[in-house]
C-alpha cells in the first residue's frame, strides 16, 4: 500500500509542479537510456500537459513546445531536427549567417519569395513582431492537395525567430489540417546553453536498383570499387551527331565512353540520341530537368505530384524499357540552386516535395519494368541560397532510390560579379570527403570545368589531372565543354577544353593516364 500511495503522490506533485512524468532522450540521432558524454548531440523530450511536450535541443541551443505523439528524427542534426506523424511535420533549423553579407532580415525575405506565386500558394496570415527578445516573422499559407505526395500536408506555417542580425531559428510546420497553434509554439521558443556537438547519423546502405544483365555488367565495369577512373564529356552536338566530337577525340587521342544529353519536359525520351550513342559504343548520362524552355516552370513539381505528367512519365518509362541498354539517369540535378525551377525555393521551401517527386517517378519506372537505368542524384557543391532548408541533404530521396552520387563544382572564374577563381583542390577534396562520410555509393563528377577568365586554365587542368586520382570513389569525370553567356551574349564562363592549343595539349597529356575501353 505504501508504494501505491507514493506513486499517487508523485503524479499529483508532478501535475502541480510541472515535473515531467516521462521523458525521452536522443543521443547522436538515436533514442537512448545511456548517459551522454560531453561531446554528444543530445535532445530531450519532456511531458508538459495533455497537449504538449517540450523538446530541448542542447547541441543547437534551443527549447520549444511541440504537440504530443511526434517521432523525432535527429539524423541530420547539424542541418535540421524533424518531428513527424502521419498528419504533421515540424522541421527546426538554425542558421548562422556570420561571414556572409546576408542578414536575418535578408533570410526572412528571400526564404519566403515563393509566396508571390499566387497560382499555387494562398497566403493565410503574415506578421512580424517582437517576442521574448526575438524578432519573429510568421507566415501561414496553403496549397492544393497533391495526389502523389503520400500523407500530403498542404497547410504550412513558417516561424522565423531572429536572435540578432546574423542568427535566426526557423520552425517550419506542415499539416494535413489548418495550423492553429503556431503562435503558441513561437511563444514557447527559448534559448538554452549549448552542450555537445550536432552530428549527422545517416545509415550507410548499399541498396541497389534491380538491373538487367547488360546494365549490371556496365555498372560492374564502370562503378565497382575496383573500376579505374574514366572520362566523359558534354559536347553540345553529341550524341545526335558526332561530327564535332570526332574531331575533338582525334585531337585528344581519347574516346569518351560517357556523353551528356540534357532534356526538358518539352520533349519525350530522346530515343534517337540514345540509339546514336549506343551505335557508337557510348552510354548517355541522360539529364532530365523537369522544366519547360523559355517559360515559367516554378509550378512543375506541384504539377508532377498532382498527376498532370503521369502519361508523360508512363510513356517515358515504356520507351526506356524498349531501349533496354544502360542509361545513367540524372533527374533534376543541382536542385539546391535557385537557378533551377525544381529547387524548393519555388515550392514552399519544402524539399520533401522534391523527394516525393523523385520517388513517384521511380515508382512509375518500376511499374513499367525499367531495369536499364542507374539513378544519379546530383546536388551542386554550393547551395544557393546557402540556408539550412536548402541544404543538399534535405533533398536526398534515400539509398533505395539512388545508385550513384553525382558531384558538381565549377571553377566559374571571375567574369560575373561575386564569383571567384577556385582551384580543383579548393572544390573537390572537401566535398568528396564530406559525401564519403554520408553515402556508401560510387561517385561520379557529372559535369565540371574551368573558366579561362580570371586565371591560368591550363595550370588548373594540370592540377586537376594530378589530384583527381587521389579521390578513388570518383569513377567517372565528365568535362562540360561549353560556354555560359552573359545577358548581352558575351562569353562569361568559357569551359571549352580546346580553347587554345595549350589547353588542348594539356588535356591530351592528362588523359594519357586513364584507361581506354
Amino acid at each position: 500500500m505504501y508504494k501505491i500511495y507514493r506513486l499517487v503522490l508523485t503524479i499529483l506533485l508532478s501535475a502541480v509542479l510541472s515535473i515531467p512524468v516521462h521523458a525521452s532522450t536522443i543521443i547522436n540521432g538515436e533514442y537512448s537510456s545511456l548517459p551522454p558524454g560531453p561531446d554528444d548531440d543530445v535532445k530531450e523530450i519532456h511531458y508538459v500537459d495533455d497537449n504538449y511536450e517540450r523538446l530541448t535541443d542542447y547541441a543547437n541551443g534551443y527549447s520549444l513546445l511541440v504537440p504530443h505523439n511526434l517521432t523525432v528524427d535527429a539524423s541530420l542534426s547539424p542541418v535540421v531536427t524533424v518531428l513527424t506523424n502521419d498528419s504533421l511535420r515540424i522541421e527546426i533549423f538554425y542558421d548562422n549567417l556570420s561571414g556572409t553579407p546576408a542578414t536575418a532580415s535578408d533570410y526572412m525575405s528571400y526564404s519566403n519569395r515563393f509566396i508571390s506565386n499566387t497560382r499555387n500558394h494562398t497566403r493565410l496570415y503574415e506578421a512580424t513582431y517582437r517576442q521574448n527578445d526575438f524578432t519573429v516573422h510568421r507566415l501561414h499559407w496553403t496549397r492544393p492537395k497533391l495526389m502523389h505526395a503520400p500523407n500530403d500536408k498542404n497547410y504550412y506555417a513558417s516561424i522565423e525567430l531572429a536572435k540578432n542580425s546574423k542568427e535566426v531559428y526557423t520552425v517550419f510546420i506542415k499539416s494535413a489540417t489548418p495550423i492553429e497553434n503556431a503562435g503558441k509554439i513561437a511563444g514557447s521558443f527559448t534559448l538554452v546553453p549549448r552542450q555537445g556537438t550536432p552530428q549527422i547519423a545517416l545509415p550507410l546502405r548499399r541498396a541497389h536498383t534491380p538491373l538487367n544483365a547488360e546494365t549490371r555488367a556496365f555498372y560492374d565495369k564502370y562503378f565497382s570499387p575496383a573500376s579505374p577512373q574514366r572520362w566523359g564529356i558534354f559536347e553540345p552536338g553529341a550524341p545526335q551527331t558526332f561530327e564535332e566530337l570526332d574531331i575533338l577525340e582525334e585531337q585528344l587521342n581519347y574516346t569518351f565512353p560517357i556523353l551528356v544529353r540534357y532534356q526538358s519536359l518539352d520533349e519525350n525520351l530522346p530515343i534517337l540520341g540514345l540509339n546514336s550513342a549506343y551505335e557508337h559504343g557510348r552510354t548517355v548520362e541522360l539529364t532530365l530537368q523537369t522544366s519547360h524552355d523559355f517559360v515559367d516552370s516554378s509550378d512543375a513539381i506541384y504539377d508532377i505530384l498532382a498527376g498532370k505528367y503521369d502519361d508523360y512519365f508512363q510513356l517515358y518509362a515504356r520507351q526506356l524499357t524498349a531501349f533496354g541498354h544502360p542509361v545513367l539517369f540524372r533527374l533534376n540535378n543541382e536542385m539546391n540552386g535557385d537557378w533551377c525551377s525544381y529547387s524548393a525555393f519555388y515550392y514552399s521551401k519544402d524539399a520533401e516535395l522534391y523527394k516525393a517527386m523523385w520517388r513517384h517517378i521511380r515508382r512509375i519506372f518500376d511499374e513499367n519494368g525499367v531495369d536499364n537505368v542507374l539513378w544519379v542524384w546530383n546536388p551542386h557543391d554550393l547551395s544557393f541560397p546557402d540556408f539550412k532548408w536548402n541544404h543538399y541533404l534535405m533533398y536526398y530521396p534515400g539509398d533505395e532510390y539512388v545508385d550513384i552520387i553525382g558531384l558538381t563544382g565549377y571553377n566559374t572564374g571571375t567574369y560575373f560579379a561575386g564569383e571567384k577563381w577556385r582551384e580543383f583542390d579548393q572544390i573537390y577534396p572537401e566535398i568528396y570527403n564530406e559525401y564519403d562520410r554520408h553515402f556508401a555509393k560510387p561517385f561520379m563528377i557529372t559535369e565540371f570545368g574551368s573558366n579561362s577568365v580570371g586565371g591560368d586554365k591550363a595550370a588548373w587542368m594540370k592540377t586537376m589531372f594530378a589530384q583527381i586520382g587521389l579521390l578513388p570513389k570518383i569513377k567517372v569525370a565528365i568535362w562540360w565543354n561549353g560556354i555560359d553567356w552573359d545577358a548581352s551574349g558575351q562569353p562569361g564562363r568559357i569551359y571549352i577544353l580546346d580553347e587554345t592549343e595549350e589547353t588542348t595539349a594539356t588535356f591530351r597529356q592528362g588523359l594519357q593516364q586513364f584507361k581506354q575501353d
Side-chain angles (χ1 to χ4, degrees), residues 163-237:
K163 175 183 175 183
N164 52 47
S165 65
K166 288 294 186 179
E167 294 178 273
V168 57
Y169 292 84
T170 301
V171 183
F172 179 80
I173 307 170
K174 54 187 294 193
S175 173
T177 58
I179 298 167
E180 307 292 345
N181 58 357
K184 185 176 181 67
I185 292 173
S188 74
F189 194 95
T190 60
L191 300 179
V192 299
R194 289 175 177 271
Q195 302 175 38
T197 304
Q199 298 182 22
I200 288 179
L202 286 174
L204 296 176
R205 298 189 298 271
R206 299 187 67 87
H208 207 292
T209 304
L211 302 173
N212 65 24
E214 183 184 356
T215 308
R216 167 54 69 181
F218 172 84
Y219 179 87
D220 290 343
K221 178 179 180 179
Y222 284 89
F223 293 101
S224 69
S227 299
Q229 287 181 333
R230 294 177 170 89
W231 280 81
I233 195 166
F234 166 72
E235 193 288 310

Side-chain angles (χ1 to χ4, degrees), residues 302-442:
Y302 288 139
D303 287 345
I304 290 170
L305 291 173
K308 295 181 181 180
Y309 286 91
D310 282 3
D311 290 344
Y312 173 90
F313 286 112
Q314 291 284 349
L315 174 61
Y316 199 98
R318 292 195 298 270
Q319 291 176 323
L320 273 171
T321 301
F323 176 65
H325 305 297
V327 173
L328 292 161
F329 185 60
R330 183 171 63 144
L331 176 61
N332 282 349
N333 62 305
E334 300 180 18
M335 73 300 289
N336 57 329
D338 59 9
W339 55 86
C340 298
S341 63
Y342 42 81
S343 167
F345 174 75
Y346 295 97
Y347 49 91
S348 298
K349 58 185 178 187
D350 185 359
E352 288 296 294
L353 297 181
Y354 178 92
K355 294 190 281 190
M357 172 276 305
W358 184 289
R359 294 165 184 164
H360 172 57
I361 295 172
R362 172 62 182 268
R363 281 193 297 271
I364 291 176
F365 280 28
D366 289 347
E367 290 166 1
N368 284 275
V370 176
D371 60 1
N372 57 314
V373 158
L374 292 164
W375 292 76
V376 182
W377 178 79
N378 179 202
H380 194 269
D381 78 306
L382 302 174
S383 293
F384 295 92
D386 190 14
F387 302 153
K388 293 292 180 61
W389 58 261
N390 193 44
H391 192 280
Y392 73 93
L393 287 174
M394 295 295 294
Y395 294 91
Y396 188 58
D399 284 346
E400 63 270 40
Y401 298 97
V402 173
D403 299 304
I404 298 164
I405 302 297
L407 287 68
T408 295
Y410 280 84
N411 171 30
T412 55
T414 60
Y415 182 89
F416 291 100
E419 296 186 340
K420 62 182 181 180
W421 185 270
R422 295 197 297 165
E423 293 293 336
F424 182 86
D425 61 4
Q426 294 176 300
I427 304 171
Y428 281 96
E430 181 178 350
I431 60 170
Y432 178 93
N433 291 330
E434 181 173 338
Y435 287 17
D436 191 34
R437 291 192 297 268
H438 302 331
F439 306 113
K441 305 279 183 178

